[in-house]
Amino acid sequence: NAGVTQTPKFQVLKTGQSMTLQCAQDMNHEYMSWYRQDPGMGLRLIHYSVGAGITDQGEVPNGYNVSRSTTEDFPLRLLSAAPSQTSVYFCASSYSSTEAFFGQGTRLTVV
Amino acid sequence: AQRVTQPEKLLSVFKGAPVELKCNYSYSGSPELFWYVQYSRQRLQLLLRHISRESIKGFTADLNKGETSFHLKKPFAQEEDSAMYYCALNYGGATNKLIFGTGTLLAVQP
């Protein structure tokens, strides 16, 4: 049972490039979400999903897109990377308002 | 707007000393609060939920609605408790949308 798996673990992008951060869970959880963590700040919610085909914005959605075509996968797309998007990104999944299970994080640097 | 505040960035104690990690929240509804912990090189994981009112690894946390606080306590700190601790508030009800505090690094000295 892998839980929540994020790929890649590390990534360096040039300004303006696009990329997709992958997130997969094998627990059949309905709810999935993406957070970013910046120095001196708590995790902030970017986007979330309550099930396949349903997504919505969190606190800091600008510059990111998501889709949820299956229960298992919830990719996060950076459309045109900016240095302000340098951060550690965490994917999480949960079943209703219970424990959230987190991935190991993706450390993204935009130069 | 909802908010979670952890006033201490770093808390350093000696082994065997009591620990209290502070958490205050601001939320207009009925709060659902959690403590998450991240040990070195491990992923973020749940430590406590206020609803369960249980003790995990010797830690307890009581919701005080009057003071809008959810402090994490342990009577005798152990070196293996050294980690980053985050207080979190679920403001999304069943959708489990979390807002986190900035975290407190607990360092337990031998």
Side-chain angles (χ1 to χ4, degrees), chain A residues 6 8-13 19 21 34-46 60 62 64 76 78 81-91 104-111, chain B residues 86:
Chain A
Q6 288 182 238
K9 291 185 180 179
F10 302 94
Q11 183 70 49
V12 178
L13 287 179
M19 80 157 294
L21 306 184
W34 277 102
Y35 295 84
R36 61 177 287 174
Q37 184 180 35
D38 300 299
M41 304 186 75
L43 280 73
R44 292 182 293 167
L45 182 64
I46 305 171
V60 288
N62 293 339
Y64 307 95
L76 178 72
L78 280 70
S84 60
Q85 294 179 303
T86 294
S87 189
V88 181
Y89 291 85
F90 290 97
C91 179
Q104 76 275 30
T106 295
R107 187 174 293 275
L108 175 68
T109 302
V110 183
V111 297
Chain B
Y86 294 95

Side-chain angles (χ1 to χ4, degrees), chain B residues 19-40:
Chain B
V19 170
E20 184 179 44
L21 302 174
K22 291 184 168 53
C23 172
N24 288 92
Y25 68 91
S26 174
Y27 184 56
S28 57
S30 183
E32 187 173 2
L33 288 152
F34 304 82
W35 277 99
Y36 280 83
V37 60
Q38 189 170 28
Y39 300 102
S40 180

Side-chain angles (χ1 to χ4, degrees), chain A residues 1-6 22-27 29 32-33 90-94 100-105, chain B residues 43:
Chain A
N1 190 337
V4 179
T5 303
Q6 288 182 238
Q22 301 291 343
C23 177
Q25 54 96 3
D26 60 2
M27 296 172 283
H29 285 164
M32 296 187 74
S33 49
F90 290 97
C91 179
S93 75
S94 63
F101 291 84
F102 286 83
Q104 76 275 30
Chain B
R43 61 186 67 193

Side-chain angles (χ1 to χ4, degrees), chain A residues 37-60:
Chain A
Q37 184 180 35
D38 300 299
M41 304 186 75
L43 280 73
R44 292 182 293 167
L45 182 64
I46 305 171
H47 284 287
Y48 70 97
S49 169
V50 300
I54 307 170
T55 63
D56 206 345
Q57 296 180 350
E59 295 177 73
V60 288

